[in-house]
Amino acid sequence: MIEAVIGLEVHIELGTKTKMFCRCENRFGAKANTLTCPVCLGLPGALPRPNLEAVERVVRLALAVGAEVAPVLEFDRKHYFYPDLPKGYQISQSRTVLARGGAIQVGLRQIGLHHLHLEEDAGKLAHLGGRASVDLNRAGVPLVEIVSLPEMRSGAEARAFLEEIRLLAEHLAVAEVRMEEGVLRADLNVSVRQVGDPRLNPRTEVKNMNSFRALERAVAYEVARQSQALERGESLAQETRGWDDQAGQTYPQRRKETADDYRYLPEPDLPSYPVSAAWVADIASCLPPGPADLRQRFFAHGLSAETVAVILESRARSQLFEQTAALGADPVVVGQWIVGDLARVERESGESLADRAYAAADLADLIQRVATGSLAGPGAKRALELSYRDRRSVSAVVAEEGLSAISDEGALDPLIDQVLAAHPGAVQDLLAGQEKALGFLLGQLMRKSRSVDPKVAAKRIRERAQACNTGF
Ligand code: ZN
Ligand code: MN
């Protein structure tokens, strides 16, 4: 029996306002080479200054995964010669990393971490019309690199580990992970061996995987490729491979460099900074809850696994859920609104909940009105949409738009009578005991008025149909 041995090196671009060693803006999507300065362009004589906000974000992440934060902050140079790396080296950490150890719970298993360190990103090459050009807006953007132990055993587990890291980054406000912008990238290390063999075979490293699905597929491909090679009696080489998503295959790129090839040396332009235990303790004391804690709390409220997964996708949703439930709304109902209509309104309005900051008091008010019958069906959905989009309170929207449920018989009866008169066939069917006809008539009524309370209306349709019948 062959087993896979998988480790990940995960890079996340930190969501700081500015870059790691200069005060250039850290922003995706600006015009090429407009967010640069002598420091991030690597011009002679320019000196780096570290970004405290970046350090703090990594410390938050380290504390959340139970890693031990180093008492000093030190940087090293890691040399490459790439056209998107203007200095010819990356400022990274090697002798002393910011945090060591820790673990991430994935399903029932704990996946251990080797360490977390801080470094800077490189620029980006673009190949357009046979020409190569470079954009240095990303050069110097702060990165945290999270290095796992080789403790994962399947593509599904590697994927779940990476998804949990995405949630950690979201809930600890380390970064807003937009996969399509390359904010989260994983280097996959994979080898295979006979189960029970303590030795490791040479591994391949697949660089820069930026989709969960691709990661899972790349593991499957490599495990099959390496297992077949072993079965044929071939020896495996340590190498770096690329991923071709279209073909669903990895392909050889280069034989792997060893650490010596990077010519690590202490960064002479930066001193060693003390990281005080008191400062770390301060950060620990106001650490927001991580995804594992929240997941447990949400399950304790009786939410389904699917609902929990959708709420956990965003910190704003998780906070809205907990705040609304704390106001006394039924947690299961709150969950239904958040994953159903609220998620839809977020999508349709183009404004995420994080930007909109929708008030828990409004969602609680809406749920309360539905529970008491003063708001119903489409009227309730409309109240949510309008209050979200127009930044109005639910009570204002309900009053100003006349969305209150019509449950008053005096107001309902004339509408019902119009519907019954227009559809005599359906009335006959209903009287003959065909319940489908009731749904049809109710639907016609809702088309006349969006704010009909469906429960009251259904009962009243039966009564009026009977009354018309005896009247014939
Ligand atoms: Zn700069
Ligand atoms: Mn790195």
Side-chain angles (χ1 to χ4, degrees):
M1 265 273 281
I2 280 182
E3 72 173 358
V5 180
I6 301 160
L8 292 179
E9 293 165 28
V10 181
H11 289 91
I12 306 173
E13 286 178 355
L14 305 177
T16 51
K17 285 182 207 66
T18 58
K19 292 188 182 181
M20 186 63 226
F21 296 110
C22 60
R23 298 301 85 97
C24 287
E25 205 186 334
N26 171 15
R27 176 160 60 87
F28 181 87
K31 188 169 179 292
N33 298 305
T34 55
L35 309 177
T36 58
C37 73
V39 173
C40 54
L41 290 175
L43 299 186
L47 288 173
R49 272 186 306 156
N51 180 343
L52 184 65
E53 194 196 345
V55 182
E56 184 172 340
R57 284 175 190 242
V58 178
V59 169
R60 268 208 299 272
L61 188 57
L63 292 170
V65 297
E68 194 188 331
V69 177
V72 289
L73 177 67
E74 287 178 349
F75 294 97
D76 300 280
R77 290 185 177 183
K78 183 181 185 182
H79 294 82
Y80 298 91
F81 189 79
Y82 286 158
D84 56 5
L85 191 69
K87 292 195 295 288
Y89 59 85
Q90 175 190 34
I91 303 180
S92 180
Q93 294 191 297
S94 149
R95 291 163 301 156
T96 310
V97 288
L98 190 47
R100 284 196 183 279
I104 294 175
Q105 179 90 24
V106 177
L108 295 174
R109 296 191 65 213
Q110 291 264 18
I111 305 300
L113 301 181
H114 185 269
H115 75 265
L116 299 89
H117 73 254
L118 248 177
E119 59 187 27
E120 58 176 341
D121 210 346
K124 229 192 218 161
L125 291 176
H127 301 275
L128 295 167
R131 296 168 69 99
S133 51
V134 66
D135 175 9
L136 294 173
N137 284 349
R138 202 180 67 179
V141 164
L143 293 174
V144 58
E145 179 171 337
I146 304 157
V147 180
S148 86
L149 293 171
E151 294 184 343
M152 286 164 273
R153 293 290 173 265
S154 70
E157 194 167 63
R159 176 187 184 142
F161 176 85
L162 193 61
E163 285 177 338
E164 196 66 8
I165 286 184
R166 191 194 80 79
L167 292 182
L168 278 162
E170 166 74 19
H171 288 280
L172 293 156
V174 168
E176 273 180 52
V177 176
R178 287 172 299 267
M179 299 298 285
E180 66 284 4
E181 294 178 10
V183 174
L184 178 70
R185 282 119 60 188
D187 298 340
L188 161 68
N189 287 289
V190 49
S191 63
V192 297
R193 66 178 171 194
Q194 293 294 334
V195 171
D197 188 344
R199 288 168 306 172
L200 290 170
N201 278 313
R203 60 191 155 88
T204 55
E205 178 168 8
V206 187
K207 289 272 189 193
N208 278 325
M209 314 249 29
N210 59 5
S211 107
F212 297 114
R213 187 166 166 269
L215 175 72
E216 195 171 352
R217 291 173 74 207
V219 171
Y221 180 83
E222 273 303 300
V223 170
R225 187 186 68 82
Q226 294 179 28
S227 309
Q228 285 159 16
L230 280 188
E231 277 162 22
R232 286 195 300 266
E234 292 167 19
S235 64
L236 295 162
Q238 181 165 327
E239 63 179 350
T240 299
R241 297 176 73 90
W243 171 248
D244 179 344
D245 203 58
Q246 290 259 300
Q249 293 179 345
T250 64
Y251 56 90
Q253 280 183 324
R254 57 182 181 271
R255 290 289 157 108
K256 175 68 181 163
E257 303 86 348
T258 63
D260 290 347
D261 295 331
Y262 293 125
R263 291 149 45 235
Y264 275 106
L265 60 87
E267 169 57 65
D269 289 341
L270 289 164
S272 166
Y273 301 89
V275 176
S276 85
W279 183 63
V280 174
D282 269 357
I283 297 173
S285 69
C286 39
L287 206 61
D293 292 338
L294 290 171
R295 193 177 285 119
Q296 236 171 24
R297 274 151 54 171
F298 295 170
F299 278 127
H301 277 304
L303 302 188
S304 71
E306 293 76 16
T307 304
V308 169
V310 176
I311 295 177
L312 266 185
E313 272 173 23
S314 101
R315 187 159 42 107
R317 277 186 197 157
S318 302
Q319 286 173 347
L320 181 63
F321 170 79
E322 293 209 307
Q323 289 163 0
T324 311
L327 290 172
D330 177 344
V332 172
V333 177
V334 178
Q336 286 164 350
W337 276 100
I338 291 179
V339 306
D341 287 284
L342 190 68
R344 176 180 54 81
V345 171
E346 269 188 271
R347 263 196 316 278
E348 288 172 1
S349 68
E351 189 178 26
S352 79
L353 192 58
D355 295 330
R356 169 63 180 84
Y358 193 75
D362 276 312
L363 186 55
D365 184 16
L366 182 83
I367 290 170
Q368 173 70 14
R369 285 167 193 263
V370 174
T372 58
S374 77
L375 201 56
K381 288 172 188 285
R382 188 84 186 127
L384 179 71
E385 272 165 30
L386 289 176
S387 65
Y388 191 95
R389 254 182 242 162
D390 306 347
R391 295 183 139 70
R392 283 190 285 171
S393 69
V394 165
S395 63
V397 167
V398 169
E400 289 159 22
E401 309 291 329
L403 295 174
S404 278
I406 306 176
S407 53
D408 170 57
E409 293 176 6
L412 267 178
D413 285 356
L415 292 172
I416 291 177
D417 289 349
Q418 285 172 27
V419 169
L420 297 187
H423 303 282
V427 174
Q428 289 310 312
D429 290 348
L430 177 62
L431 292 172
Q434 291 189 30
E435 286 301 301
K436 259 197 335 215
L438 178 64
F440 170 78
L441 292 167
L442 192 55
Q444 296 300 314
L445 181 65
M446 305 282 254
R447 282 171 64 172
K448 282 195 177 296
S449 167
R450 298 169 62 90
S451 44
V452 162
D453 179 344
K455 257 192 237 141
V456 178
K459 169 172 162 282
R460 199 61 193 152
I461 287 173
R462 279 184 206 283
E463 290 168 1
R464 297 299 292 172
Q466 287 291 343
C468 306
N469 195 36
T470 48
F472 283 140

